[in-house]
Amino acid sequence: IFTSSMTATSQKPNAYGKSKKMAEDYLNKKSFRTLIIRPTLLYGRGGVTFSKLVGMSNMLPLIVPIIGKGNSIKQPIYVDDAAEIIRCVVAIKLDSNKVYQIGGLQQVTFNDYVKKILKIQNKNKKLIHMPRSIVWFALGLFEKITKNLPVTRDAILELETDTKIDSSMIEKDFNIKLHSLDDGIKLSLPKL
C-alpha cells in the first residue's frame, strides 16, 4: 500500500508530484500487487499546509492575499477520513493492482475554500488576487536566498491543479461516512 498524491496526475506537476509519480511507476514495475492511494488536498489540525493557509488568512486585518485567480477546483479531504480509508484498505485482498483517488464530499474553488475557513472563524475579509506572474518571478528570486518562505513556486503549482474525484465510490467501497467540508474545517481550526 502506497500513499501517493493527486499531484502525481497533474499536467503541471511540482517536485512533490513528480516524486510521487516516479514512486508509482517504480512500484507498478514490481511483481507484487500494489494498492495506491491518491489523496486530494489533505487538511486537519496541525497539518503544515492547512496551518499555513489559516495563518495567511489571518495575517492581515481586512484582506487575504490570493496568488492568481484562485479558481482551481479542490476537493479537500479531512485527514481523519483519509486515515480511516487507509485503515480500511489494509484489509482488501488484491487480485490486481488498484488505485484509489480519495477526496472529500465537496468540490470548491480555492477561493471558496478560503472563504469557508474565514466564515467558520466568523471573519469577513476581502480576497485580494495578486498577479501570478509577478509573484512567480519574486519567489524565484527569494527562493535563491532563503528556504523559509510562507509559499513557494511548487506550492503555487499544486494550488493551480484541479483535483476532482467521485467520493461516492469511497463511501460505498469502504462503508464510511466522510465529513462535510464545513465540519472538517471546524474540527481542524485551532481551539480559541
Side-chain angles (χ1 to χ4, degrees):
I1 296 170
F2 176 63
T3 304
S4 184
S5 167
M6 284 293 289
T7 59
T9 65
S10 174
Q11 296 296 324
K12 298 185 292 183
N14 59 11
Y16 179 72
K18 289 175 185 173
S19 71
K20 291 295 190 178
K21 176 73 171 117
M22 287 172 58
E24 285 188 22
D25 291 345
Y26 174 80
L27 289 172
N28 286 328
K29 292 177 186 169
K30 296 298 179 183
S31 59
F32 51 78
R33 305 249 189 272
T34 60
L35 191 147
I36 295 172
I37 306 282
R38 288 189 192 135
T40 60
L41 180 63
L42 282 166
Y43 69 96
R45 183 172 304 162
V48 174
T49 303
F50 185 75
S51 295
K52 279 186 179 184
L53 181 57
V54 171
M56 289 181 72
S57 69
N58 291 321
M59 184 172 51
L60 300 171
L62 301 174
I63 63 168
V64 178
I66 302 289
I67 300 167
K69 295 177 182 175
N71 58 3
S72 60
I73 303 296
K74 299 293 169 196
Q75 196 167 346
I77 183 165
Y78 181 52
V79 68
D80 286 4
D81 291 340
E84 179 63 13
I85 291 166
I86 292 169
R87 187 189 70 75
C88 290
V89 301
V90 170
I92 291 177
K93 184 174 180 184
L94 290 178
D95 50 10
S96 63
N97 291 349
K98 189 149 180 85
V99 175
Y100 278 103
Q101 299 185 140
I102 63 171
L105 293 172
Q106 191 173 354
Q107 294 177 3
V108 293
T109 65
F110 183 72
N111 287 330
D112 288 338
Y113 183 48
V114 173
K115 287 177 188 176
K116 279 186 172 294
I117 292 169
L118 291 169
K119 183 179 179 183
I120 290 169
Q121 296 179 93
N122 293 316
K123 296 185 178 182
N124 186 15
K125 296 185 179 188
K126 183 169 177 60
L127 303 186
I128 301 295
H129 295 88
M130 302 179 307
R132 181 211 194 263
S133 57
I134 293 171
V135 175
W136 187 268
F137 177 76
L139 286 174
L141 297 175
F142 288 124
E143 286 173 356
K144 292 177 182 174
I145 300 167
T146 181
K147 299 281 185 215
N148 192 20
L149 295 170
V151 69
T152 63
R153 291 187 295 174
D154 259 9
I156 291 172
L157 287 174
E158 188 168 338
L159 290 177
E160 291 174 339
T161 302
D162 288 341
T163 52
K164 301 183 278 189
I165 60 107
D166 178 7
S167 61
S168 64
M169 177 266 310
I170 294 165
E171 289 188 315
K172 185 179 98 178
D173 281 10
F174 300 117
N175 195 29
I176 65 170
K177 181 72 178 138
L178 298 171
H179 286 80
S180 71
L181 184 55
D182 285 2
D183 288 347
I185 291 172
K186 287 174 190 170
L187 291 167
S188 300
L189 288 167
K191 299 283 186 204
L192 300 175

